[in-house]
Amino acid sequence: MILIAIISLGGIGAIGAGFLYAASKKFEVYEDPRIADVQEALPDVNCGGCGYPGCPAFATACVNADSMEGLFCPVGGKDTMDKIATMLGKEAGASEPMVAVVKCNGTCSARPHLNTYDGAQSCAIAASLYGGETGCSFGCYSYGDCVTSCGFDAIHINPETRLPEVIEEKCTSCGSCVTACPKNIIELRKKGPKSRRVFVSCVNKDKGGVARKACANACIGCGKCVKECPFESITLNDNLAYIDYMKCRLCRKCVGVCPTGAIHELNFPPKKEKPVEVKEETNQN
């Protein structure tokens, strides 16, 4: 009886193993071995800055794509993409280096506090409860959701201004801080030649008088920058100016005409002051 039971169990096991083998062959999913090679070349930080949910998905997209156009790893940068393109026998697509930019200039002096928030120190939670501690309901909460979201230590809250500041050398343009900010004051913009950029550091859409009352540095929608720009790179919508970095030629003419200083210029050399001409007066007898 014991022998029969052993033989029966062995037979059942053999039949089950046969079914499992057949099923594994029938439903086998082939994975291109190049995917593992591409994934090995990636920085493996799974930040999502490439637009895909992690490095494995991005590696799969690179292998399956007919062209590398539109595929870019912001952390690895151009060197990594060139390496991957060589591995796959494709040509790496051109991509402009990007960097995170903070579009709020509501410092403590420009945007006085009107009340004190005593809840959880989270921008996302505070945004769902009320308009903020200042008169501007569009500005930064300063609780640092962007800081905690950054995996590269590239953004910090300035203790004096209570505003986020981006460390360009560390920023990989992964977009984590952009997603973390409930007020949409952080934007990825073209890094620009020599890291020079011009942008409107404000997101306040209130009318001019209301915006200026809430923050001395706010854009008041006066439109002077729009008229001044020779390249038509500035638009005015909902009382707020916006500079299209794809059209901007960094002439900085808009900076000089902004009455509130809402337009910022980064990493430019100081402008040379024009020498004042002194006219000599001649005495007539």
Side-chain angles (χ1 to χ4, degrees):
M1 293 296 291
I2 295 175
L3 183 60
I4 294 174
I6 293 174
I7 295 173
S8 299
L9 289 173
I12 293 172
I15 294 171
F19 275 118
L20 290 174
Y21 177 77
S24 67
K25 288 298 182 182
K26 183 176 179 59
F27 299 106
E28 181 181 11
V29 178
Y30 171 77
E31 182 175 282
D32 194 319
R34 294 179 300 171
I35 294 176
D37 295 335
V38 172
Q39 189 175 345
E40 184 69 25
L42 292 170
D44 197 30
V45 295
N46 297 304
C47 63
C50 57
Y52 292 86
C55 294
F58 181 68
T60 302
C62 289
V63 172
N64 294 336
D66 296 329
S67 168
M68 298 290 286
E69 193 67 32
L71 294 169
F72 187 74
C73 172
V75 180
K78 185 179 183 302
D79 292 341
T80 296
M81 294 310 301
D82 287 343
K83 181 179 179 181
I84 292 173
T86 302
M87 291 168 55
L88 300 177
K90 301 175 183 179
E91 186 176 348
S95 181
E96 287 276 3
M98 306 288 281
V99 67
V101 168
V102 179
K103 299 192 298 178
C104 179
N105 194 32
T107 61
C108 296
S109 58
R111 189 170 52 130
H113 279 54
L114 304 177
N115 57 75
T116 301
Y117 174 66
D118 195 24
Q121 298 295 294
S122 165
C123 300
I125 294 175
S128 65
L129 297 176
Y130 82 133
E133 297 181 339
T134 70
C136 178
S137 60
F138 296 89
C140 177
Y141 281 119
S142 307
Y143 299 134
D145 286 18
C146 54
V147 177
T148 55
S149 70
C150 180
F152 305 96
D153 193 36
I155 189 166
H156 298 279
I157 299 293
N158 185 308
E160 295 182 3
T161 63
R162 298 300 301 158
L163 292 175
E165 292 182 350
V166 177
I167 303 173
E168 295 183 21
E169 295 76 15
K170 294 183 177 182
C171 180
T172 61
S173 68
C174 69
S176 296
C177 57
V178 178
T179 305
C181 179
K183 290 296 184 179
N184 298 317
I185 69 165
I186 303 179
E187 177 190 19
L188 292 181
R189 293 181 69 90
K190 186 171 68 173
K191 200 167 187 178
K194 298 182 180 180
S195 295
R196 295 172 181 174
R197 296 179 296 285
V198 177
F199 62 97
V200 179
S201 185
C202 182
V203 293
N204 194 323
K205 295 181 180 180
D206 284 331
K207 289 185 177 181
V210 178
R212 188 63 183 272
K213 185 178 179 180
C215 177
N217 297 333
C219 172
I220 57 176
C222 64
K224 290 183 178 181
C225 54
V226 179
K227 296 177 182 178
E228 187 71 19
C229 180
F231 306 105
E232 298 183 348
S233 64
I234 308 178
T235 54
L236 187 65
N237 294 306
D238 295 329
N239 307 305
L240 180 65
Y242 179 78
I243 299 176
D244 186 344
Y245 58 80
M246 297 300 293
K247 295 180 180 180
C248 179
R249 295 295 179 267
L250 306 177
C251 69
R252 296 188 285 169
K253 290 184 178 181
C254 57
V255 179
V257 299
C258 180
T260 62
I263 301 180
H264 284 200
E265 51 180 340
L266 294 182
N267 303 319
F268 286 89
K271 290 183 178 180
K272 295 181 180 179
E273 296 183 1
K274 294 182 179 180
V276 179
E277 294 182 3
V278 180
K279 294 182 180 180
E280 294 183 0
E281 296 183 358
T282 56
N283 295 326
Q284 295 181 354
N285 296 325

